[in-house]
Amino acid sequence: MTAIRVLLVDDDPLVRAGLSLMMGGADDIEIVGEAADGAEVEALVDRTRPDVVLMDIRMPSVDGLTATERLRVRKDAPQVVVLTTFHADEQVLRALRAGAAGFVLKDTPPAEIVDAVRRVATGDPVLSPTVTRQLMEHAVGGAADTRRTRARGRIAALNDREREVAVAVGRGLSNAEIAAGLFMSVATVKTHVSRILAKLDLNNRVQIALLAYDAGLLEESGGNGH
């Protein structure tokens, strides 16, 4: 099996050393580079071709949010997992909107961080339903009405079935759970998710969830996905 190539980005050398040590114990993960600032990321990505970037948010020159935005607009961009010390932080939310595949807390047990890298490498976002709700609730503020109007305009591009799937993704359900709840095969769910991503020009399921929330679809669904 080809090893998952990982780039570590954090301004704290002790954090990078700890992450490198914990990742080094996994046979299927290879650390291909380290950066101390977001300004170094694009050049390192070009040189090392990582599958996953573990990205700190707060760095002295170019922060992780800006670095994530720059990466995710590139063709064949690596997946980005945000590293943070906060459970719910506005900057983390912005990183997810920019296309990050999820986030992990810096005090997360090593085995869970390794598992997060594996999951993201296969296209599975690292956000539990609880964390997703926490971040979404944190995002509610003065700009909520503007976001809702904008989000509803984008969601209008979906047909009814795709809308149902988007709601289910927004509730944090897996493909298997969506398939069971909407009486379709897992393969059909994957097809719908792919179409939603393409129609709405999104990077991953996390962005589908955030858009569904912004549009008010989760409130309308009454919590049951229909």
Side-chain angles (χ1 to χ4, degrees), residues 4 9 22 24 39 46 51 68 91 103 105 133 142 153-154 161 170 190-191 200 208 217 224:
I4 301 166
V9 185
M22 90 173 58
D46 287 338
D51 301 303
T68 297
Q91 287 186 302
F103 81 93
L105 300 174
R133 284 195 301 272
R154 296 181 68 188
R161 204 57 163 161
K190 290 180 179 178
T191 298
L200 302 181
I208 294 175
L217 298 188
N224 61 9

Side-chain angles (χ1 to χ4, degrees), residues 8 43 79 88 91:
L8 305 177
Q79 298 291 344
Q91 287 186 302

Side-chain angles (χ1 to χ4, degrees), residues 131-215:
V131 170
T132 302
R133 284 195 301 272
Q134 191 175 23
L135 282 167
M136 288 175 175
E137 288 164 5
H138 183 76
V140 175
D145 289 341
T146 301
R147 280 201 310 269
R148 175 156 298 193
T149 301
R150 227 176 257 156
R152 284 183 177 273
R154 296 181 68 188
I155 288 291
L158 304 182
N159 62 37
D160 290 343
R161 204 57 163 161
E162 289 164 348
R163 187 183 173 106
E164 287 182 318
V165 172
V167 169
V169 170
R171 291 173 55 219
L173 302 182
S174 67
N175 285 342
E177 290 169 331
I178 296 172
L182 297 180
F183 306 103
M184 61 177 72
S185 69
V186 171
T188 301
V189 173
K190 290 180 179 178
T191 298
H192 281 307
V193 170
S194 295
R195 286 176 179 166
I196 292 168
L197 292 172
K199 281 187 176 183
L200 302 181
D201 193 25
L202 300 175
N203 287 300
N204 55 45
R205 295 167 72 99
V206 176
Q207 289 187 324
I208 294 175
L210 292 171
L211 189 63
Y213 177 82
D214 284 346

Side-chain angles (χ1 to χ4, degrees), residues 69-166:
E69 289 172 336
R70 290 176 181 175
L71 279 183
R72 293 304 301 169
V73 298
R74 293 161 54 119
K75 185 180 179 181
D76 299 325
Q79 298 291 344
V80 177
V81 177
V82 174
L83 289 168
T84 180
T85 54
F86 299 93
H87 285 269
D89 181 90
E90 181 63 26
Q91 287 186 302
V92 174
L93 184 76
R94 287 173 61 198
L96 296 176
R97 291 188 189 281
F103 81 93
V104 294
L105 300 174
K106 289 186 177 180
D107 60 359
T108 298
E112 292 183 23
I113 294 180
V114 171
D115 181 59
V117 168
R118 290 177 177 138
R119 286 172 54 194
V120 165
T122 63
D124 185 15
V126 185
L127 277 180
S128 69
T130 300
V131 170
T132 302
R133 284 195 301 272
Q134 191 175 23
L135 282 167
M136 288 175 175
E137 288 164 5
H138 183 76
V140 175
D145 289 341
T146 301
R147 280 201 310 269
R148 175 156 298 193
T149 301
R150 227 176 257 156
R152 284 183 177 273
R154 296 181 68 188
I155 288 291
L158 304 182
N159 62 37
D160 290 343
R161 204 57 163 161
E162 289 164 348
R163 187 183 173 106
E164 287 182 318
V165 172

